Amino acid sequence: MIKLTGDFMPEFLRLAGIVFDMLDLSGSASVDVALVNDGEMQELNKSTRGVDKTTDVLSYPALSEIKSFDKANYPEDFDRMQNAVVLGEIAINTDAAARQAEEFGTGEREINYLFVHGLLHLLGYDHIEESDKAKMRALEEKALAAKDESVVVAVVGRPNAGKSSIVNAIVGEKVSIVSPKPQTTRDRITGICTEGNKQIVFLDTPGMFKPRTKLDEHLDKSVKSALGGDADVVVLVLDCTKGVTPDDEKTINSLIKSGAPLYIVVNKTDLKGYDAIYPILDKLNKYMNSGKNAVKDVIPTSCRNGNNIELLKKILKGECRDGGFLFPPDEYTDRPVKFIIGETIREKALLFLQDEIPHGVGVAVLSVDENSSPVRITADVIVDRQSHKRIVIGDDGAMIKKIGSYARRDIEQMLDAKVFLELFVKVREGWRDRQNILHDIGY
């Protein structure tokens, strides 16, 4: 992933991602981009190169060797604020681009070409020799001609296997809430990862289980919908601490029969040693040799230490197909703000209450006034029983204040604004079987 600063255009970010994928680069690198005119470019040439003339583009590489962009490889060039390795700077002469556009095409295309040209210089490419020039030119044209592609991925698995953590790790934003409790995800939440010309749309489904209430039926329906044709690819997430159960094997065989490309992710590997993980991988290996609709790959992952998350992302990018993006490139979820706020509050309730409230809680966001300063949000935390209400409120209101405080912090980060969060605890007996309440909560 490349992060841009300075006078960049959105298209530069797309092109940077395309170049990253083309060259099979990994990690995060930062590039500073400046758009200048003839006079400014001439001054740059004079001050940095001792040349009194204007040019179309200048690149200032910060690195002498290109390898995986991480802190271990570049301890001196790693920017903590950007969480990226500083790759260098690019200056693009817009006056020169306008002149070249008269001969080669539109001004926008020429500026994009100069950006790619400058980026390749930062990555060690040059055009002194004719062979190098031809190679660089071929890469430039390939990047500029790349079309947008997308894929829809259903992420399924048993409750608490780490499906939401996988999606959040790849998207780079908190799309789904995470807690130690099963059935944390209650709806098919869409997470969107767009890098370069590739867009991965995740359907983060609830865990697969036998429905007992109307809420359970809603969860089951969302899983079946994801597997019933909405998805191009299926990722089955298994918890390596549980091994491969007979139910897991039934699920794998069922998913193989569905015909959609299937990947198995063995998650939480940080909790087990290699001796424990290897038998699991060995047991799953047979499904990769089971005929036409075999499992395409088995990937051991850990969201805690990031192990193989980039590999999984790369594999899913490889499943993208022509047809353009399904969502604007700057979106990371299709859920409205009220829904994300409600899920954030519910996450903190699940985190702090743990097993004290056996059937969890619901959250109904009543209002979000983004015109006020601070943003004013009112929500109901819904429980089944009066005894649960006392637990959620806590002694002298300590628990509900703690839930609100931690939720407010995450919401402020999401909205990039100060927030006043007002929470009320309401008892609604049997709420998980009452359609009107489920509707108010957003299901």
Side-chain angles (χ1 to χ4, degrees):
M1 180 189 300
I2 288 187
K3 301 178 181 182
L4 303 180
T5 58
D7 303 327
F8 71 90
M9 300 188 300
E11 183 66 8
F12 290 172
L13 203 57
R14 174 182 178 275
L15 290 168
I18 292 171
V19 170
F20 238 48
D21 286 341
M22 282 170 37
L23 302 181
D24 198 24
L25 299 171
S26 61
S28 295
S30 171
V31 177
D32 189 54
V33 183
L35 302 180
V36 301
N37 57 31
D38 274 336
E40 291 167 327
M41 183 62 87
Q42 187 169 359
E43 286 299 316
L44 279 174
N45 273 298
K46 285 169 63 177
S47 62
T48 61
R49 300 173 61 220
V51 177
D52 190 12
K53 67 175 184 179
T54 190
T55 52
D56 54 5
V57 62
L58 280 176
S59 295
Y60 300 98
L63 309 177
S64 57
E65 183 182 5
I66 302 301
K67 43 193 173 182
S68 179
F69 297 114
D70 55 48
K71 186 178 179 181
N73 284 331
Y74 299 100
E76 301 299 324
D77 298 289
F78 188 82
D79 187 323
R80 293 177 180 272
M81 293 292 291
Q82 298 186 77
N83 197 31
V85 175
V86 177
L87 182 56
E89 303 173 352
I90 301 172
I92 298 171
N93 186 345
T94 55
D95 288 338
R99 288 192 294 271
Q100 290 166 192
E102 296 176 4
E103 181 178 358
F104 299 112
T106 65
E108 183 178 352
R109 186 189 186 282
E110 283 306 302
I111 289 177
N112 289 339
Y113 159 75
L114 292 176
F115 170 75
V116 175
H117 186 85
L119 181 59
L120 288 173
H121 275 311
L122 296 185
L123 294 168
Y125 287 82
D126 217 321
H127 45 72
I128 297 175
E129 301 294 334
E130 282 300 318
S131 59
D132 293 334
K133 183 177 181 180
K135 185 177 182 180
M136 195 169 176
R137 185 64 183 170
L139 288 171
E140 291 161 354
E141 290 301 324
K142 185 178 179 180
L144 292 169
K147 295 181 179 179
D148 292 338
E149 301 175 348
S150 60
V151 63
V152 178
V153 180
V155 184
V156 300
R158 295 182 63 77
N160 209 31
K163 300 178 296 297
S164 296
S165 296
I166 291 284
V167 173
N168 290 344
I170 293 179
V171 171
E173 300 282 354
K174 181 173 280 190
V175 178
S176 301
I177 67 174
V178 179
S179 91
K181 279 195 173 185
Q183 300 179 29
T184 298
T185 300
R186 286 183 176 164
D187 210 348
R188 193 182 71 178
I189 298 174
T190 303
I192 306 157
C193 172
T194 305
E195 292 184 3
N197 66 322
K198 311 283 188 182
Q199 185 174 86
I200 309 169
V201 178
F202 290 101
L203 306 180
D204 179 17
T205 62
M208 295 182 286
F209 60 98
K210 186 176 180 179
R212 296 186 299 273
T213 66
K214 286 190 180 294
L215 176 58
D216 291 347
E217 290 172 5
H218 174 84
L219 307 187
D220 187 56
K221 182 179 177 181
S222 68
V223 173
K224 290 178 178 178
S225 175
L227 299 177
D230 290 355
D232 304 313
V233 173
V234 178
V235 171
L236 172 64
V237 181
L238 302 180
D239 180 348
C240 80
T241 66
K242 303 290 197 307
V244 181
T245 68
D247 282 344
D248 291 333
E249 297 205 68
K250 288 180 183 178
T251 299
I252 293 169
N253 286 317
S254 176
L255 292 174
I256 287 174
K257 290 177 183 178
S258 74
L262 173 63
Y263 294 92
I264 299 178
V265 170
V266 181
N267 197 31
K268 303 185 182 180
T269 55
D270 56 291
L271 301 179
K272 289 286 184 179
Y274 180 78
D275 290 344
I277 297 169
Y278 179 80
I280 297 174
L281 301 180
D282 188 54
K283 190 172 185 178
L284 294 172
N285 187 56
K286 65 182 179 182
Y287 294 106
M288 295 178 64
N289 303 291
S290 58
K292 181 180 177 182
N293 294 327
V295 171
K296 297 191 71 172
D297 206 351
V298 176
I299 307 104
T301 63
S302 167
C303 294
R304 180 171 295 177
N305 61 28
N307 183 45
N308 283 338
I309 295 299
E310 286 297 318
L311 173 62
L312 178 58
K313 183 195 295 186
K314 180 181 177 181
I315 288 170
L316 296 178
K317 281 184 177 181
E319 293 286 354
C320 289
R321 297 293 179 263
D322 287 343
F325 291 161
L326 301 177
F327 295 91
D330 58 345
E331 289 188 7
Y332 63 88
T333 183
D334 68 337
R335 285 302 189 180
V337 170
K338 282 181 70 172
F339 182 86
I340 299 297
I341 290 172
E343 288 291 272
T344 302
I345 298 167
R346 190 165 68 89
E347 177 187 54
K348 303 312 175 188
L350 291 174
L351 175 65
F352 297 125
L353 294 168
Q354 297 289 347
D355 296 327
E356 293 181 83
I357 308 295
H359 302 300
V361 298
V363 176
V365 179
L366 307 179
S367 64
V368 180
D369 185 359
E370 295 190 61
N371 294 320
S372 66
S373 183
V375 175
R376 192 175 186 90
I377 299 170
T378 304
D380 285 345
V381 177
I382 300 171
V383 295
D384 255 327
R385 305 173 185 173
Q386 192 68 34
S387 60
H388 292 168
K389 178 177 180 178
R390 289 193 293 270
I391 294 171
V392 175
I393 293 174
D395 293 338
D396 296 323
M399 178 57 73
I400 194 64
K401 288 177 183 176
K402 186 176 182 180
I403 292 169
S405 176
Y406 278 79
R408 188 185 71 248
R409 184 176 60 186
D410 283 9
I411 295 167
E412 287 180 337
Q413 186 174 355
M414 179 183 71
L415 298 179
D416 193 23
K418 289 292 184 182
V419 166
F420 176 81
L421 176 61
E422 194 171 24
L423 298 180
F424 299 93
V425 184
K426 300 289 181 68
V427 178
R428 299 288 185 268
E429 292 185 7
W431 68 267
R432 292 176 302 141
D433 266 321
R434 295 166 64 178
Q435 190 59 53
N436 61 323
I437 296 178
L438 293 176
H439 181 270
D440 289 343
I441 294 174
Y443 303 125

